Amino acid sequence: MCPFSSLRDHVDSIDLGALDQTDVAHVPYIVLIIKALQTFAASKDGGNDNADSSSDRWTNYPARLALKEKKELRNVIGKLVEVKSDEENFEEAVKNVNPYCVPYEIPHEIKQILDDPAAATVELRTAATEDGSNLTQQANHRFWLLANALRRYMASDYAEGKLPLSGTIPDMKADTRGYIALQTVYKSKAEQDKSEFVKHLAGVLEEAGLPGNHFEQEEIDDFCKNASKLRLRRMSAIHDEYAQGPEAPSSDLEMNGILNHYVLFRASSEFFAKHGRYPGAPTLNSADKESLTVSNINKLVESDAIELSSIATKLLAKWAGDASEGDSNAAAAAPVELATEFARSGFSELHNIASFSGGVIAQEAIKLITHQYVPGNNTFIFDGIKGVLLAAKI
């Protein structure tokens, strides 16, 4: 937890000892946690609680609190005041020690965006990036302009390695006056961060040969507010996947527990192309209906499972770049047990599995249409036997 200067000033302006029981019960838990950190850091600093050392107390306490120290901090919270008429806000403070008292870290997904080569350079304005007929390219250009400005913001002395503040605070036990006062502090800091970001964005637009009003204020507001939640999704076309094989190494897919399922789905398609039916699914010719006994179906499933596993093994070898695709020892073989389950289903569509899958597809479609939430990228496989939804980029 790294309180910014105006938040520290706000916390210091609140004297818990001068408040009555009713007012103490409505102090926001964020204030209580920071107050406790002050006391905790002072105790670790030899009890030096002089005004001259107040600024050091925010930097001298451990950057990463151990479990024992977090327990001590919780005890400190409980002893901030001697008498409490209502402990709900103190209970909130104790519960939020773990999520709040951690070192500040930029999310991995944000680092990927900032380190992307597209965020390091400014693409000049071209007919393609400004032509409204190519909406995808235009949107990409706009995003990377904002990402470039964010990269410059993060490199500035002002940012101190922290992303723009969103300006929002969670719901908590507090009176209206205390909550609005705290919210005002956060919103004020968010506006300052946004103003600094706009300065860097103006430089980016100038280098790109674009006017200063290239972005609507609402778009800038949304970008700064959600700077810590940015996600980059580079999708791939399914026809490329089928023509060239999966992009991700087999080891990554195997680690995600999705490789065997994925390769058997692909093998089922090749099986269909060869036989005109899916593994385990008998032909529907009238001449064959009399042979659809339980014994014959079991034999069909057994033989199809072996062939399906063989096809899958060849695909694994092909994707691994092995020259001897036909050699079963060239790559890890697809498990016959799972291939048997594929064949046993006969490519039937169970109503409950179809309903669940349809719901997932509808959810992803809504994400793309409304531009809300992060869409999956790019393969989902639902294992109905284990009740597990597996996801990976392939």
Side-chain angles (χ1 to χ4, degrees):
M1 187 174 188
C2 300
F4 46 92
S5 59
S6 56
L7 178 58
R8 297 199 298 265
D9 293 340
H10 175 71
V11 171
D12 289 339
S13 69
I14 300 175
D15 184 2
L16 295 180
L19 302 179
D20 59 27
Q21 293 184 12
T22 302
D23 290 335
V24 167
H26 291 90
V27 175
Y29 72 78
I30 292 178
V31 174
L32 297 178
I33 290 177
I34 297 176
K35 286 283 189 184
L37 279 172
Q38 273 186 309
T39 304
F40 177 80
S43 66
K44 294 298 182 180
D45 196 28
N48 185 1
D49 198 26
N50 296 326
D52 294 339
S53 64
S54 61
S55 60
D56 295 334
R57 286 181 289 166
W58 300 100
T59 57
N60 287 345
Y61 66 83
R64 187 180 296 276
L65 298 178
L67 290 177
K68 179 181 178 181
E69 292 167 326
K70 288 184 177 180
K71 184 177 180 180
E72 292 177 18
L73 183 60
R74 292 189 182 95
N75 292 332
V76 172
I77 292 174
K79 298 176 181 178
L80 285 175
V81 294
E82 295 182 0
V83 180
K84 301 184 287 291
S85 61
D86 185 351
E87 296 188 356
E88 184 177 346
N89 56 336
F90 283 82
E91 292 173 356
E92 287 180 336
V94 169
K95 290 178 181 178
N96 283 280
V97 164
N98 279 342
Y100 275 81
C101 297
V102 294
Y104 182 89
E105 292 182 356
I106 300 175
H108 174 68
E109 296 84 355
I110 309 301
K111 289 182 180 179
Q112 285 184 321
I113 295 174
L114 297 177
D115 293 339
D116 195 287
T121 58
V122 177
E123 183 180 349
L124 295 178
R125 176 178 60 180
T126 63
T129 57
E130 291 303 302
D131 183 7
S133 62
N134 194 336
L135 297 179
T136 300
Q137 190 169 359
Q138 185 181 18
N140 287 342
H141 186 237
R142 295 176 70 86
F143 173 78
W144 288 116
L145 289 174
L146 292 168
N148 188 285
L150 182 61
R151 179 188 174 100
R152 299 184 185 193
Y153 171 92
M154 293 297 294
S156 68
D157 294 336
Y158 171 88
E160 297 180 342
K162 299 180 182 63
L163 294 164
L165 197 67
S166 68
T168 60
I169 59 176
D171 291 335
M172 62 189 74
K173 174 68 181 297
D175 58 16
T176 303
R177 182 181 60 182
Y179 187 87
I180 292 179
L182 182 62
Q183 189 176 53
T184 300
V185 172
Y186 272 80
K187 285 188 175 181
S188 177
K189 179 61 167 64
E191 287 297 324
Q192 294 175 16
D193 291 354
K194 183 168 59 179
S195 297
E196 183 68 21
F197 172 81
V198 168
K199 294 178 183 177
H200 295 286
L201 180 59
V204 171
L205 293 177
E206 183 178 358
E207 293 179 26
L210 293 167
N213 61 352
H214 183 69
F215 289 97
E216 297 288 341
Q217 186 60 47
E218 183 179 358
E219 189 172 359
I220 297 175
D221 293 345
D222 288 342
F223 186 85
C224 289
K225 183 178 180 180
N226 297 287
S228 63
K229 303 174 184 177
L230 296 176
R231 298 294 183 270
L232 177 62
R233 289 287 186 266
R234 284 191 168 102
M235 306 296 186
S236 57
I238 192 169
H239 60 79
D240 292 337
E241 176 188 325
Y242 270 70
Q244 304 170 9
E247 293 181 3
S250 297
S251 58
D252 290 346
L253 296 176
E254 189 171 10
M255 184 172 60
N256 289 331
I258 200 173
L259 178 60
N260 290 329
H261 293 78
Y262 174 77
V263 71
L264 286 170
F265 274 116
R266 291 288 300 272
S268 296
S269 296
E270 293 203 6
F271 186 99
F272 181 86
K274 179 179 179 181
H275 297 284
R277 63 178 180 83
Y278 286 100
T283 58
L284 299 179
N285 296 331
S286 57
D288 298 329
K289 289 183 178 180
E290 296 180 358
S291 63
L292 294 181
T293 62
V294 174
S295 176
N296 288 341
I297 291 178
N298 288 338
K299 291 179 181 179
L300 178 68
V301 168
E302 183 179 353
S303 62
D304 284 359
I306 295 174
E307 182 177 355
L308 182 63
S309 179
S310 176
I311 295 173
T313 300
K314 292 179 181 178
L315 285 175
L316 289 173
K318 178 181 178 181
W319 296 339
D322 199 302
S324 53
E325 297 175 11
D327 186 0
S328 60
N329 295 321
V336 178
E337 296 82 1
L338 187 57
T340 301
E341 287 298 318
F342 269 70
R344 191 172 66 86
S345 69
F347 209 71
S348 58
E349 297 182 1
L350 301 178
H351 65 279
N352 57 335
I353 302 299
S355 176
F356 177 84
S357 301
V360 172
I361 294 171
Q363 177 178 274
E364 293 303 308
I366 292 172
K367 290 179 183 178
L368 294 172
I369 293 171
T370 61
H371 293 183
Q372 292 186 18
Y373 305 104
V374 181
N377 188 18
N378 56 15
T379 300
F380 290 87
I381 294 178
F382 178 61
D383 185 345
I385 296 177
K386 297 180 180 179
V388 176
L389 181 63
L390 306 172
K393 181 178 180 181
I394 294 179

